[in-house]
Amino acid sequence: MKSNEQLFARAQQVIPGGVNSPVRAFRAVGGTPRFIERAQGAYLWDAEGRRYIDYIGSWGPMILGHGHPAVLDAVLKAAADGFSYGAPTEREIELAEAIIGLVPSVEQVRLVSSGTEAAMSALRLARGATGRHKIVKFEGCYHGHADALLVKAGSGLATFGHPTSAGVPADVVRHTLVLEYNNLAQLDEAFAAQGSEIACVMIEPIAGNMNFVRASVPFMARLRELCTKHGALLVFDEVMTGFRVALGGAQSVYARLIPGFRPDMSVFGKVIGGGMPLAAFGGSKDVMSQLAPLGPVYQAGTLSGNPVATACGLATLKEIARPGFFDALSAKTRSLVTGLEQAGREAGVALVGDSEGGMFGFFFASALPQNYGVVMATDQARFNRFFHAMLGRGIYLAPALYEAGFVSAAHSAQDIAATAAAAVEALA
Ligand code: HOZ
């Protein structure tokens, strides 16, 4: 049997840092990444045959758990008909119709292959449609690794203490304004000073790349108001939250709290591909018609709308649209957070958590952080000890304090109870 350590040593010879995406390297928490051999339901098995309850779920897509029979069946059938054609298919229309049917702010959608590609394309479209250059993003929000968005970002960049990447020329980010999340005064100031030059504001409505932090309702309401007033597009990055925190995404959560609320454009990924490389961006017909071949904003991709990925996404959306799916998932995720908080109380450790639908976060702090600076000030050393103590007990949490967690429909009440019990031991 191969060990994780042997595999990691071998990987580091041929892949930078031994991984194809930095957070997987365990640099934030230390130790050896687990090399996964297979997954089923709520579980992962590593190269050493150890089983883990999976709270990453491929960073969100695996909302049904691994190897859901209906999804597997759809993927196998689609694969038998060909992997990729580079030509349109009916399934692309079906997936676009499914997304539009579930998200009222989206009238047209274009499919791409990754969240990075979707966010980057949405940004170009927003600039092309408004004829403006400036964009606003928030500290700790991560919108993939396109140059203009790679400024003061969360996730892997927070882990390595370089919130802005090397290799991004200052000129390229000259038009990117970075504001503090949930800071109303800064928002007002930025729009007062430069509102007429702002093409769009891109935001993770519930941030999942600085752990789990919600935009407050007054902040979101004001953001909507300012974008409308100044003719800037409000772009929701729902790569993590879309079809994950609720069937209609985070925008449906805010629409319940702010009458008439909707973003102008949305970016999706993860769940809409069900674990396959698929993402999308969409908005009104007006804005989307600026895209080639109709309009002057160019965007393209050989694997866009891939027939196997669309089959996987469609089958996943069909399952999560069943009545009661999100009620059950939300209750399960909430009970996980409650269990972790209870474990904290028993150990006399300040631990606080939050969740929406099947996405959650927890912090070693006494109150939920409202922005990146406060997240960074929570107890990282304790998180790292806790992470390893949990991993040793077969609980696979995100290997960095700056990441959100994910629960799937396949997690059982016993899995959740076992996780809470492990947390009690780990904190003791
Ligand atoms: N950007 C992801 C975390 N927010 C990590 C992706 C991966 O390593 O797969």
Side-chain angles (χ1 to χ4, degrees), residues 3 21 72 79-80 109 213 221 283 285 345 380 389 397 416:
S3 73
S21 190
L72 194 56
V109 67
V213 181
K285 278 191 180 151
R345 276 193 293 278
Q380 174 150 7
L397 297 167
I416 303 289

Side-chain angles (χ1 to χ4, degrees), residues 254-342:
Y254 285 96
R256 283 201 295 274
L257 303 165
I258 307 168
F261 181 89
R262 52 170 67 179
D264 299 304
M265 287 176 66
S266 302
V267 178
F268 301 110
K270 310 218 188 247
V271 171
I272 57 164
M276 291 280 201
L278 198 152
F281 62 103
S284 68
K285 278 191 180 151
D286 233 28
V287 170
M288 294 303 285
S289 64
Q290 297 298 312
L291 272 184
L294 295 179
V297 179
Y298 196 71
Q299 183 280 327
T302 298
L303 296 177
S304 294
N306 175 271
V308 186
T310 45
C312 189
L314 265 173
T316 302
L317 290 189
K318 189 170 166 201
E319 293 302 316
I320 69 172
R322 292 190 194 282
F325 178 90
F326 271 94
D327 290 340
L329 183 64
S330 302
K332 202 184 291 186
T333 311
R334 172 103 325 257
S335 76
L336 172 72
V337 170
T338 308
L340 293 174
E341 287 179 332
Q342 178 60 27

Side-chain angles (χ1 to χ4, degrees), residues 86 305 395:
I395 313 292

Side-chain angles (χ1 to χ4, degrees), residues 1 44 69 94 98 109 125 132 148 161 169 176 190 212 218 255 261 336 343 348 369 397 407:
M1 185 185 293
L44 299 172
E94 286 170 9
V109 67
L125 178 55
R132 300 174 179 183
T176 306
F212 178 104
F261 181 89
L336 172 72
L397 297 167
V407 174

